Amino acid sequence: MFSKIAAVAAALLVLPLTITPASAHQLRSDALPMAAAVDLLPSAAESRDGYQRTSFKHWVDADRDGCSTRAEVLIAESRVQPTIEPGCKVTAGQWYSFYDGVTVTAPGGLDIDHMVPLAEAWDSGASAWSPERREAYANDLDAERSLVAVTARTNRSKADQDPAEWLPPLLDARCTYVSDWVATKLRWSLTVDDREKAALAEIAAGCGLETVEYKPVL
C-alpha cells in the first residue's frame, strides 16, 4: 500500500498555483479535525434495493503481479516478514487486529475488512456507479485504511453495519475506526444517513485531536 502522506506530497508538487478554493477542496488530502470532516459528509437516505455482493468484483489481481488484493493486504500489514508460497499464497506472518487488540499468526484467522462494507457503500451511492468504479472501490489499495486485516470474528460481528450500529469492541480503537470510516466515505464521495451522521458527530466530539486524512477518488 502506498503512504497517503507521500501521495499527498507528490500531488501537491504538481498542483497549479491558480487553483480556486473549490477545486483545491476537491484535491485536498490534508488532515482535518474529525468533527469538521464529519460535517463535510453529504446526507441522504439509504437504499439497499438491487444490492448483490457480486456487484463488487473483489480480491482481484489489479496490478497483475500475481497477488490478489487479499494477499496484498496481508503482506503489507504483517508485522514480520510473511511466509509466501507459490501463487502468492500467504501462509504465515504476524498481524495485529486493531478492532479487538488480538495478534494473529495464521492468516486463516483473518478477514480483510472493507472499512465501509460493500453493502453500506451500495446504500450510500455506489448503486449508481459503473462496475469498474465498484471494482476499484472493492480493491482500494491506494488508501491505507480502506482495507484492513482483522480477526474473522470481529469482521463478521460488524457485517454491514455502520457506526450507529457497531463499533470495535476495543474501546481504544474507536476513534481511529471512526476516523478511517469518515475518510473512506469522503474519499469515495459516499453519503451518510441522519442516524449515522449523528453517531459519527457524537463520537468525534469525544475524540479530542483525532484527525481525518483522505484523498478523493474523482
Side-chain angles (χ1 to χ4, degrees), residues 126-165:
S127 59
W129 293 353
S130 67
E132 292 76 17
R133 186 174 176 87
R134 286 196 289 266
E135 180 177 332
Y137 175 83
N139 299 278
D140 185 10
L141 292 170
D142 291 330
E144 292 178 357
R145 307 309 293 181
S146 289
L147 300 168
V148 57
V150 295
T151 55
R153 64 175 174 267
T154 54
N155 184 48
R156 293 166 197 183
S157 171
K158 171 184 173 178
D160 59 7
Q161 299 175 94
D162 70 31
E165 304 161 317

Side-chain angles (χ1 to χ4, degrees), residues 2-217:
F2 298 103
S3 166
K4 287 183 285 189
I5 296 174
V8 172
L12 290 176
L13 289 174
V14 299
L15 290 180
L17 297 178
T18 56
I19 290 178
T20 65
S23 62
H25 171 70
Q26 290 300 314
L27 293 168
R28 72 182 298 167
S29 53
D30 51 320
L32 295 172
M34 190 188 293
V38 171
D39 285 343
L40 290 178
L41 291 165
S43 296
E46 295 186 354
S47 174
R48 189 65 55 92
D49 290 350
Y51 171 72
Q52 298 181 71
R53 189 170 174 82
T54 53
S55 296
F56 295 81
K57 187 177 181 181
H58 54 289
W59 305 164
V60 301
D61 179 8
D63 57 6
R64 301 182 184 278
D65 66 351
C67 297
S68 69
T69 300
R70 173 182 166 83
E72 298 269 19
V73 175
L74 290 174
I75 293 167
E77 295 194 1
S78 178
R79 294 185 163 189
V80 300
Q81 185 69 32
T83 302
I84 307 171
E85 296 184 354
C88 201
K89 182 179 180 182
V90 181
T91 57
Q94 185 184 93
W95 296 272
Y96 178 73
S97 168
F98 89 95
Y99 288 2
D100 50 2
V102 173
T103 297
V104 178
T105 56
L110 297 166
D111 280 353
I112 305 303
D113 183 36
H114 291 93
M115 177 55 59
V116 175
L118 301 182
E120 169 69 20
W122 178 273
D123 299 350
S124 306
S127 59
W129 293 353
S130 67
E132 292 76 17
R133 186 174 176 87
R134 286 196 289 266
E135 180 177 332
Y137 175 83
N139 299 278
D140 185 10
L141 292 170
D142 291 330
E144 292 178 357
R145 307 309 293 181
S146 289
L147 300 168
V148 57
V150 295
T151 55
R153 64 175 174 267
T154 54
N155 184 48
R156 293 166 197 183
S157 171
K158 171 184 173 178
D160 59 7
Q161 299 175 94
D162 70 31
E165 304 161 317
W166 187 91
L167 289 168
L170 184 65
L171 295 180
D172 289 347
R174 292 183 175 181
C175 287
T176 298
Y177 178 81
V178 170
S179 173
D180 294 342
W181 179 281
V182 173
T184 303
K185 285 225 160 177
L186 288 171
R187 172 170 168 75
W188 288 93
S189 300
L190 294 169
T191 62
V192 291
D193 62 23
D194 291 343
R195 185 165 174 261
E196 177 187 354
K197 191 162 190 174
L200 293 172
E202 181 179 355
I203 296 163
C207 286
L209 300 178
E210 188 80 31
T211 59
V212 173
E213 294 182 54
Y214 69 100
K215 182 177 180 181
V217 175

